[in-house]
């Protein structure tokens, strides 16, 4: 027996709720900008630069002792936080000019050995210089911008310019609100999040193209149908596929989020949010914005009622 969470034939009037959706999205965008300019992002070591040391203690870690010990080394501000289990600790230090990673780690090891009871295992050490972190920021912005431009060109060639603009508006909506979510939650914003944003762009575009394909097909099929009714029909036609794809993807992502470990947690968090916001935008943003533009329809060449069409004469 096939699983059907959504009936194949639904008649939900999505376009009727477009003004509510636009106001909701506008509020999210304003809140995202406000959070970004007031709280900024919690940049990871990839963008901020510095030294990252991941340790595991035998007993529950006493963060105040670890922070006091590391700060006493004279290496500037030290950020100390647990993640996952209470025995797992991340120590973030400022970039140390003139000192290698091995020298810094040796100093931290020596200091913690005197203040933290039990054995300490050092699971990960990383360093990123300020020049490299600046280049990574520019590369991240460039990659997302180029992806959006490529999407605009692709949709423009495959459909028409109205569809291209609609898709790019929806993608900007998804990317900006995802960045706003990271600013609000202060989850670490690192290179894996950039990878997640690019994946969200691809996922959201795929959903949008499916709906646009059906709109184009229905424009040829129902030449006299009002555009709002035609958009509703097209969204309902693809609704079952959209919901099932999103749910199955979310099942895998939630499993990764809870059991995949700390290293991919920010990636999966961005993806989970992106699936929700991408599905929402493909229904309530990408299609309704087409009403702002004049969609080109092929002339109706079907015979009028009461008019008899004669076959061509032979010879």
């Amino acid at each position: 027996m096939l699983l059907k969470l959504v009936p194949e034939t639904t008649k939900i009037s999505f376009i009727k709720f477009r003004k509510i959706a636009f106001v909701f999205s506008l509020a999210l965008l304003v809140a995202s900008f406000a959070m970004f300019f007031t709280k900024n992002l919690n940049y990871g070591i990839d963008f901020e630069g510095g030294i990252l040391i991941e340790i595991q203690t035998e007993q529950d870690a006493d963060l105040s002792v670890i922070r006091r010990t590391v700060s006493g080394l004279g290496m500037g501000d030290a950020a100390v936080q647990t993640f996952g289990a209470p025995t797992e600790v991340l120590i973030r230090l400022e970039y140390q000019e003139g000192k290698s990673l091995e020298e810094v780690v040796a100093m931290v090891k020596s200091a913690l050995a005197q203040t933290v009871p039990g054995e300490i295992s050092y699971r990960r050490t990383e360093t990123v210089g300020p020049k490299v972190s600046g280049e990574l920021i520019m590369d991240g912005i460039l990659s997302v911008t180029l992806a959006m431009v490529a999407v605009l060109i692709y949709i423009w060639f495959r459909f028409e310019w109205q569809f291209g603009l609609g898709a790019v508006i929806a993608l900007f909506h998804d990317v900006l609100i995802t960045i706003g979510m990271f600013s609000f939650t202060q989850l670490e914003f690192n290179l894996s999040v950039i990878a997640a944003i690019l994946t969200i762009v691809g996922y959201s575009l795929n959903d949008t193209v499916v709906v646009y394909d059906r709109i184009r097909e229905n424009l040829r099929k129902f030449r006299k149908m009002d555009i709002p009714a035609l958009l509703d029909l097209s969204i309902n036609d693809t609704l079952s596929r959209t919901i099932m794809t999103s749910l199955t993807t979310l099942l895998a992502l939630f499993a990764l989020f809870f059991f995949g470990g700390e290293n991919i947690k920010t990636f999966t968090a961005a993806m989970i949010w992106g699936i929700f916001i991408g599905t929402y935008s493909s229904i309530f943003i990408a299609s309704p914005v087409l009403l702002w533009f004049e969609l080109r329809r092929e002339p109706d060449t079907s015979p009028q009622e009461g008019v008899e069409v004669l076959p061509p004469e032979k010879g």
Side-chain angles (χ1 to χ4, degrees), residues 137-148:
I137 290 176
M138 293 309 298
D139 288 346
I141 295 172
L142 183 63
S143 60
V144 174
T145 305
L146 288 178
M148 305 284 265

Side-chain angles (χ1 to χ4, degrees), residues 30-290:
V30 171
S32 297
F33 277 106
M35 295 302 296
F36 180 78
F37 287 110
T38 54
K39 293 182 68 175
N40 207 342
L41 294 167
N42 176 23
Y43 291 109
I45 190 173
D46 304 330
F47 297 136
E48 197 75 6
I51 296 171
L52 185 70
I53 302 173
E54 181 183 322
I55 66 172
Q56 184 169 30
T57 57
E58 283 188 345
Q59 303 167 8
D60 288 356
D62 188 336
L63 295 185
S64 60
V65 171
I66 296 175
R67 187 177 295 110
R68 191 165 53 248
T69 302
V70 177
S71 298
L73 295 173
M75 297 184 185
D77 292 334
V80 179
Q81 66 182 99
T82 56
F83 67 95
T87 57
E88 297 174 328
V89 181
L90 274 179
I91 302 170
R92 192 181 302 167
L93 297 167
E94 293 179 5
Y95 183 74
Q96 303 297 312
E97 195 73 39
K99 289 181 182 170
S100 67
L101 174 63
E102 290 75 18
E103 288 175 324
V104 173
V105 173
M107 291 174 67
V108 173
K109 279 184 178 179
S110 174
L112 290 181
Q114 298 175 28
T115 55
V116 178
E119 187 178 348
I120 304 174
S121 62
Y122 289 77
R123 303 168 61 179
R124 181 165 60 118
T125 56
E126 292 179 14
T127 183
V128 177
K131 183 180 178 183
V132 175
S133 63
E135 290 175 355
L136 289 175
I137 290 176
M138 293 309 298
D139 288 346
I141 295 172
L142 183 63
S143 60
V144 174
T145 305
L146 288 178
M148 305 284 265
V149 172
V151 165
L152 175 63
I153 295 172
Y154 167 71
I155 298 291
W156 196 321
F157 274 99
R158 177 162 175 176
F159 297 93
E160 293 176 17
W161 66 268
Q162 298 94 330
F163 292 91
L165 276 182
V168 169
I169 289 171
L171 291 181
F172 267 109
H173 167 276
D174 298 347
V175 170
L176 293 177
I177 291 178
T178 300
I179 292 173
M181 184 276 288
F182 270 86
S183 181
F184 175 73
T185 59
Q186 287 294 292
L187 285 171
E188 186 176 295
F189 193 87
N190 50 33
L191 277 181
S192 68
V193 177
I194 295 292
I197 288 176
L198 291 173
T199 311
I200 290 167
V201 167
Y203 181 89
S204 179
L205 176 66
N206 184 54
D207 251 4
T208 302
V209 166
V210 169
V211 179
Y212 279 2
D213 251 338
R214 187 55 59 94
I215 291 173
R216 184 172 60 175
E217 183 182 324
N218 286 336
L219 277 171
R220 294 169 180 161
K221 194 173 176 182
F222 304 102
R223 295 175 180 174
K224 293 182 178 177
M225 184 180 286
D226 291 338
I227 293 296
L230 189 140
L231 295 179
D232 269 337
L233 175 66
S234 305
I235 297 171
N236 279 288
D237 283 349
T238 56
L239 187 63
S240 177
R241 178 261 174 209
T242 301
I243 299 297
M244 287 300 291
T245 304
S246 299
L247 282 179
T248 50
T249 309
L250 283 172
L251 285 176
L253 287 172
F254 273 115
L256 284 173
F257 182 80
F258 287 111
F259 306 112
E262 190 66 24
N263 288 341
I264 60 170
K265 184 151 281 187
T266 53
F267 175 83
T268 49
M271 283 298 301
I272 289 170
W273 176 261
I275 297 299
F276 277 114
I277 207 72
T279 304
Y280 160 78
S281 72
S282 67
I283 295 174
F284 288 102
I285 302 297
S287 300
V289 295
L290 294 177

